[in-house]
Amino acid sequence: MEALKMLISSMELGSQEEVLRALEKEGFKLTQATLSRDLKQLKVAKAASMNGKYVYVLPNDTMYKRITKPQSAMEMLQSSGFVSINFSMNMGVIKTRPGYASSIAYNIDASDIPQILGTIAGDDTILIVIKEGVAHDEVIEALSTVIPNIR
C-alpha cells in the first residue's frame, strides 16, 4: 500500500493499467482486482491535473476534516473560520477551518495592521510575521478588527 501511495502522489497515473505497470517497475505484481480494492480502501479519486488529464489522487487530511462536522451554508457564512492563534517570538500561527486561511490572510494584509509585517497562508493555517518588540496581546487586539472572535 505504501508503494501505491508513493506512486500515486509522485506520478500522473490515469488508469489502472498505468498504475499496474508502475507498480511492476517497482517490483510489485498485483492483479487488477487487488489494485481496484486497494484504490478503494485508500479512497483514491480522480482529479484533473495541471494539463487537464484526469489522474489518480490520494485524499488529503483537509478533505477528511471537511466531512467530520458538516455545517450548513448559512453557518459557514456566519463563521469567520478562525480556530486558534499561538505565538513563538515574532511569529504567530493562526489555525482556521479548512479553506478559510487564504481569505483571512488576505483580510489581514489588506488591513495594513502596523504590528504585522506579512502573512503566508495555506488551506487551514496562516503564518504571521510580527514586528520586533510588539507584544502578543497587542497583535491580538489589532487582529480583532479583522477576526472578531479572536479573543
Side-chain angles (χ1 to χ4, degrees):
M1 286 259 205
E2 288 304 313
L4 180 57
K5 285 192 217 175
M6 292 296 290
L7 288 172
I8 290 171
S9 62
S10 64
M11 300 173 72
E12 288 195 353
L13 301 167
S15 69
Q16 289 189 4
E17 294 78 35
E18 288 178 17
V19 176
L20 286 169
R21 279 196 300 271
L23 283 166
E24 201 165 320
K25 281 183 189 172
E26 297 295 329
F28 297 93
K29 189 89 170 121
L30 268 75
T31 65
Q32 188 275 327
T34 301
L35 174 62
S36 184
R37 188 181 62 241
D38 288 351
L39 292 172
K40 187 175 182 175
Q41 188 176 351
L42 289 172
K43 294 181 174 49
V44 171
K46 277 200 169 179
S49 67
M50 296 299 266
N51 63 14
K53 176 183 166 191
Y54 278 84
V55 295
Y56 287 111
V57 293
L58 293 167
N60 61 30
D61 289 342
T62 58
M63 287 172 69
Y64 291 127
K65 288 180 196 166
R66 285 189 179 117
I67 60 169
T68 57
K69 189 179 167 207
Q71 288 188 311
S72 71
M74 188 56 83
E75 286 173 315
M76 285 190 248
L77 289 171
Q78 291 171 347
S79 168
S80 73
F82 171 80
V83 173
S84 67
I85 185 167
N86 288 292
F87 297 96
S88 177
M89 307 212 25
N90 72 321
M91 291 184 289
V93 174
I94 297 174
K95 289 293 195 176
T96 72
R97 290 192 35 245
Y100 281 77
S102 62
S103 62
I104 292 173
Y106 174 83
N107 291 337
I108 292 169
D109 290 338
S111 296
D112 288 324
I113 297 170
Q115 296 89 337
I116 297 175
L117 297 174
T119 64
I120 299 173
D123 183 57
D124 63 358
T125 306
I126 304 167
L127 173 69
I128 57 172
V129 179
I130 303 159
K131 281 189 179 174
E132 297 247 358
V134 174
H136 299 159
D137 291 344
E138 192 180 338
V139 174
I140 290 173
E141 180 67 33
L143 284 170
S144 69
T145 60
V146 179
I147 308 167
N149 61 332
I150 196 165
R151 295 176 208 209

